[in-house]
Amino acid sequence: MHTSPRLLHRVVLLLVSAFIWSHAHGQAILEGERHHPVPGSHGMVATSHPKATEVALDVLKKGGNAVDAAVTAGFALAVTQPRSGNIGGGGFMLFAPGDGGPVHAIDYRETAPAAATETMFQDETGNVVTNRSRFTHLAAGVPGTVAGLALALERYGTISLETALAPAIQLAREGFEVPHRFTEGLEQARERLTIWPATRATFYREDGKAPQPGEIFRQPELAATLQRIADHGVQDFYRGETARLIVEEMERGGGLITMADLASYEPAIREPVRGTYRGHEIFSMSPPSSGGTHIVQILNILEGYPIADYGLNSAQTIHLMAEAMKRAYADRSEYLGDTDFVDVPLAGITSKAYADKLRTDISMAEPTPAKAISPGNPIPYESNETTHFSIVDAWGNAVSNTYTINFSYGSGITVTGAGFLLNNEMDDFSAKPGVPNAYGLIGGDANRVQPGKRMLSSMSPTIVRKDGRNFLVTGSPGGSRIITTTLQVIMNVIDHGLNIQSAVAAARIHHQWLPDEIRIEQGISPDTIDLLQAMGHTLSPGAAMGASQSILVDDDGRLWGAADPRRSTSSAVGY
């Protein structure tokens, strides 16, 4: 066999480059190099902001892996998308190695401060004081994003925290061009944001207006905060200067987070929830997320029906989805919480046998009234503004990450001198068992406020494997609708055979048990609506639900990204 000198020269250069790069970046990349890049693919990034997509893709182009790119994107979104990207909140990350190895779940959800009490959001007579858990300093849980992203990088990444932070620091210091959605969001939230001097000074111009589309928006205080983290590591945020600024903000506004709360915060490595659906493996986030548990539960119920034969968004398909959703959300109200504090019947809820039992009560012809549905007996025991991104690298490694500060702009309170917003995740606890939260979700004793406890979440970063390899990487923002949005992307691909962009763009429905109605997006056929109403369903047209940034790896190893058109800044780019 004859080898041309030019080809031989290129091979030698590639080998030398790989050797130099691996020594520069340590053992983590040596592990990755045991797996050959996916044929015909290099990398794909799907996020909710083009700047975050751009900097994450650049990491992949330089040889970084999916976790490197994910952490870089996470910090970049904290700069470019303050309504949901954050260092003042928390979230969940799933990492699935490209070699089919175990899927890892990182829980960096916020925790309740040590001084938190079960009745802290009730008045003297035991009634819930609604805005106390939403728009005050008491609303903030101990932030987990910085610790969680740093842990992901340490365990599964190949670049330094300083390197991952560099693009975010540059974006904060030098600024970025404001898109229309950025301006629109700040104008819509003006009334509740501008009451806080630091928030007004950080996000609004001197004339009181939000930065206008096309203007360059800079955040010098946030840049300084991120630079301190780059220089001194995670300890700055939890024990150093940034921690001091957070505690001063708490003391200024009557909040509860102390230096001890920050110093004791730790993200957790958890076992993801696992299920199967029509020959595919489903991996999603475990409690304190309810998302993965109920995605698996709903899929188990629907697996008993020929959904593909009924068709995408047909009346029969929507009817069955709504019936399965109702039963899952009823169970959520009773059983789900932080497994470090309560026993959750996870094995029971996600079992095929339990799904079979629930399916026997579903009529093909009419809905079961919500009042007739109560939490089942799943023995044995074992935010609307959120942002999700999906990443796959050249080795087939996949990351699915969802994080949030809960409401759009969280509590609205900016840490004076630090330039970032505090979350209002304490609202995700049950302020009082049986009283709905901001998303209408009913909570029970399992999700009551307790010191150090993680509040229940619907965030559902999900990775689907087919024949042992990563196949679909998905997830979504959307509060209580995160679960059903992610569910429908999975069904659209597996049941209906849609390409990933069509699967993400298709019209969605949602039922959460209470209120007893099917929420529908535009795009559901009038004929279908008539049929559902004739069956006895109550339908409620609503605004767009979720924003799923997703990636599909086809049988040939090619990467297909989908940017959800429901967000004008969504961006999916590969190379």
Side-chain angles (χ1 to χ4, degrees), residues 187 190 194 200 204-210:
E187 292 292 1
R190 170 193 298 276
T194 54
R200 186 170 61 248
Y204 294 86
R205 304 187 316 195
E206 289 186 5
D207 63 5
K209 293 183 179 180

Side-chain angles (χ1 to χ4, degrees), residues 162-183:
E162 182 181 12
T163 301
L165 278 160
I169 294 169
Q170 184 176 355
L171 285 165
R173 184 175 291 143
E174 298 180 9
F176 59 93
E177 191 173 300
V178 170
H180 175 76
R181 183 168 180 257
F182 189 95
T183 303

